[in-house]
Amino acid sequence: MEGTGHLDEPAQAELEEQASKLFSGRVDFLLSAPQLKFLPEPTVPEIAFCGRSNVGKSSLLNALTGRKAIARASVTPGRTQELNFFEVGEPTLLRLVDMPGYGFAKAPPKVVERWKELVRTFLRGRQVLVRTLVLVDSRHGLKDVDRTMMQMLDEAAVGYRIVLTKTDKIKASELDTVAAATEAEARKHIAAYPLVHRTSAEKGMGIAELRAAVLSDAGV
Ligand SMILES: Nc1nc2c(ncn2[C@@H]2O[C@H](COP(=O)(O)OP(=O)(O)O)[C@@H](O)[C@H]2O)c(=O)[nH]1
Ligand SMILES: [Mg+2]
């Protein structure tokens, strides 16, 4: 999808330039919150990232911030149950929140319940959370665990963008099909942005536009 969807070309280019400057500046890991009592003070707008384990979340965070390893890629899939906070800007203008991955194979029901509880409470109670990005592997499209996540976001009234990842791995025609199907489903969700983002952390596709969208969502 094209940037924020409602800007003319010069305005979009300027927003991308501004976003690129911001994200190439200060980006620091702040803290990791295994429980909600460890959340940082809600002082700036936050944008959260979520998706199935292995969807490419760490890689996307690294691509957005132009870092090699701000977020560790593939530690042990499904093991991380913390919310990781990163601060962007000097002084801090916004935070990125790396949410625990979901849909990992053979997770014990207790782990899944714990994940749901943590995420649901965070989504409902976090006043500064302005947007969530739901990452979806473009090779697979939406899965039931993504739909569960989307429903939780609808219920918490947290607006979200669906971001297709790893688009370098499929043909353009296949990407069009997946994007269309995903958008058709997004339109049925109250809190979903109707257009999907197409990204490749590997090739850099869609990254500048997504950065601009994040900046615009943060309203800074
Ligand atoms: N080809 C390709 N591979 C990717 C892309 N993004 C992530 N990957 C690979 O997918 C795997 C999982 O990525 P990671 O960022 O660790 O996923 P996470 O578990 O969601 O944080 C790694 O082997 C990455 O190298 C991409 O845009 N293109
Ligand atoms: Mg990761």
Side-chain angles (χ1 to χ4, degrees):
M1 89 122 222
E2 282 68 45
T4 51
H6 59 267
L7 294 175
D8 57 21
E9 260 175 54
Q12 176 65 24
E14 192 177 318
L15 186 62
E16 286 181 21
E17 172 71 29
Q18 208 186 331
S20 162
K21 267 195 196 135
L22 177 65
F23 282 91
S24 64
R26 173 178 172 261
V27 181
D28 279 338
F29 172 74
L30 175 64
L31 60 79
S32 183
Q35 293 168 41
L36 296 171
K37 62 179 175 188
F38 297 115
L39 293 181
E41 285 299 310
T43 50
V44 292
E46 293 173 350
I47 314 280
F49 292 68
C50 66
R52 299 168 70 211
S53 304
N54 218 39
V55 70
K57 187 154 50 75
S58 299
S59 304
L60 188 75
L61 278 162
N62 291 336
L64 285 172
T65 58
R67 264 73 173 178
K68 280 217 164 64
I70 181 93
R72 259 182 306 168
S74 287
V75 199
T76 310
R79 284 288 295 281
T80 32
Q81 289 276 297
E82 306 98 5
L83 297 155
N84 290 298
F85 290 78
F86 300 90
E87 293 196 325
V88 182
E90 181 69 70
T92 305
L93 280 185
L94 58 96
R95 289 193 191 123
L96 306 177
V97 186
D98 186 3
M99 292 173 71
Y102 51 79
F104 30 92
K106 299 188 198 108
K110 266 192 181 165
V111 173
V112 176
E113 269 318 301
R114 197 171 104 72
W115 172 84
K116 271 197 184 167
E117 201 44 46
L118 178 74
V119 169
R120 186 178 286 133
T121 315
F122 176 71
L123 295 178
R124 288 202 174 151
R126 195 71 175 166
Q127 301 280 355
V128 290
L129 182 64
V130 292
R131 194 75 82 233
T132 293
L133 306 187
V134 177
L135 277 53
V136 174
D137 192 319
S138 59
R139 295 169 300 175
H140 309 313
L142 288 171
K143 298 282 184 193
D144 281 344
V145 281
D146 300 310
R147 297 184 176 104
T148 299
M149 185 70 212
M150 290 163 73
Q151 204 179 327
M152 284 166 71
L153 287 159
D154 288 336
E155 286 165 8
V158 173
Y160 53 99
R161 296 174 181 272
I162 298 176
V163 178
L164 296 176
T165 62
K166 309 188 191 181
T167 59
D168 59 287
K169 288 205 170 192
I170 60 170
K171 287 191 237 152
S173 57
E174 293 168 338
L175 178 56
D176 285 340
T177 305
V178 171
T182 310
E183 285 175 354
E185 215 171 313
R187 283 195 291 272
K188 295 181 196 153
H189 285 264
I190 184 107
Y193 191 79
L195 300 174
V196 303
H197 289 258
R198 305 171 180 207
T199 66
S200 164
E202 186 103 352
K203 305 282 184 215
M205 184 191 156
I207 299 300
E209 294 88 338
L210 188 60
R211 238 185 241 132
V214 166
L215 186 60
S216 147
D217 287 346
V220 291

